[in-house]
Amino acid sequence: MNIPKLKHTETNNFFLMAGSCAIESRDLAYEIAEKIKGLTDQFGIPYIFKGSYRKANRTKLDSFTGIGDIVALEILQEIGNYYDLPTVTDIHESQEAEMAAKYVDVLQIPAFLCRQTDLLAAAARTGKAVNIKKGQFMAGISMKFAVEKILHENPSAQVFLTDRGNSFGYGDLVVDYRNIPEMQVHGVPVVMDCTHSLQRPNQTTGVTGGQPKMIETIAKAAIAVGADGIFIETHPNPAIAKSDGANMLPLDKLEELLEKLVRVRQAVI
């Protein structure tokens, strides 16, 4: 794992990418980072703080997209410096890569954009680690081409692949755990996104639904199968979150979940 400031890499634990869906405010970002850093230090889990500086893929025109690009990116940078943590955020267009790379340690490619060659190449050229989310419409084995695009631009790049479920009809997702070992064949760490994989998209209300009560099930199964990392969006009060609240884990439930996942990991390695 070639990520600056990543701690606890000697524990042979899974690593965690976690935070709120979007950067909603400085105070909220600090509250979440403080809590998760304490837990990951307690359990010896390598931790990357996650927050989207802007939400580009929204269902409705008036959906929350962010508090301002630079404002949110500066908060991410502050969090990384204050807690000595690596940070990750999404990018959506090629020109965003260089901008975001000045503030964070890992650039994330959203699932719907995982085939966008110019976007992948721009992320690779920054020299930052790149986390590519597998499209809901793709098999894990076919993600080798996304990895190849990154490594073509930067042969020494640190690349992750993240599963977030596959489309199941028009309004649901299903997790096919074969994707984890199939993506590990590409020689990169593989992450399970335990919250977005429980989304129920394309609801007639214009607000994506979810099944947060199943987060633990998805996470435990992923660790049992051999996932290298876990991705979780969490919030002190998901009911009032400005983005993706329907599938986020309440922050006060994270400790119990991480304790269980560490035990599962110890049982299978």
Side-chain angles (χ1 to χ4, degrees), residues 119-131:
L119 179 61
L120 292 166
R125 286 194 295 269
T126 67
K128 296 301 176 85
V130 182
N131 178 38

Side-chain angles (χ1 to χ4, degrees), residues 1-3 15 17 48 106 129-133 147 158-162 188-191:
M1 294 286 290
N2 183 25
I3 306 293
F15 66 94
M17 305 174 76
I48 303 170
V106 183
V130 182
N131 178 38
I132 314 169
K133 287 200 169 182
V147 175
Q158 172 73 70
V159 187
F160 311 143
L161 292 176
T162 295
V188 300
V190 172
V191 181

Side-chain angles (χ1 to χ4, degrees), residues 154-251:
N154 180 5
S156 62
Q158 172 73 70
V159 187
F160 311 143
L161 292 176
T162 295
D163 190 12
R164 47 99 75 237
N166 282 84
S167 296
F168 188 70
Y170 290 113
D172 207 352
L173 297 169
V174 65
V175 176
D176 180 353
Y177 287 96
R178 293 176 298 179
N179 283 319
I180 293 175
E182 285 186 352
M183 290 195 292
Q184 286 171 329
V185 168
H186 307 323
V188 300
V190 172
V191 181
M192 184 72 232
D193 182 339
C194 304
T195 46
H196 288 98
S197 60
L198 292 167
Q199 283 183 332
R200 286 183 162 170
N202 304 319
Q203 301 299 303
T204 56
T205 60
V207 178
T208 297
Q211 292 179 290
K213 64 183 180 181
M214 298 294 291
I215 291 172
E216 181 177 321
T217 299
I218 297 294
K220 287 192 295 188
I223 295 297
V225 170
D228 302 288
I230 293 292
F231 181 107
I232 294 175
E233 289 188 341
T234 182
H235 193 284
N237 186 356
I240 64 170
K242 294 181 182 297
S243 177
D244 280 2
N247 52 268
M248 278 202 275
L249 180 75
L251 188 59

Side-chain angles (χ1 to χ4, degrees), residues 99-153:
M99 175 184 69
K102 297 175 182 176
Y103 298 91
V104 300
D105 304 288
V106 183
L107 298 176
Q108 181 167 282
I109 308 300
F112 282 128
L113 303 177
C114 68
R115 287 169 52 100
Q116 297 298 104
T117 302
D118 290 347
L119 179 61
L120 292 166
R125 286 194 295 269
T126 67
K128 296 301 176 85
V130 182
N131 178 38
I132 314 169
K133 287 200 169 182
K134 181 187 72 63
Q136 301 91 317
F137 45 85
M138 293 186 67
I141 198 68
S142 62
M143 287 298 291
K144 70 176 182 178
F145 303 112
V147 175
E148 288 174 356
K149 290 174 183 179
I150 298 291
L151 297 180
H152 175 76
E153 292 291 330

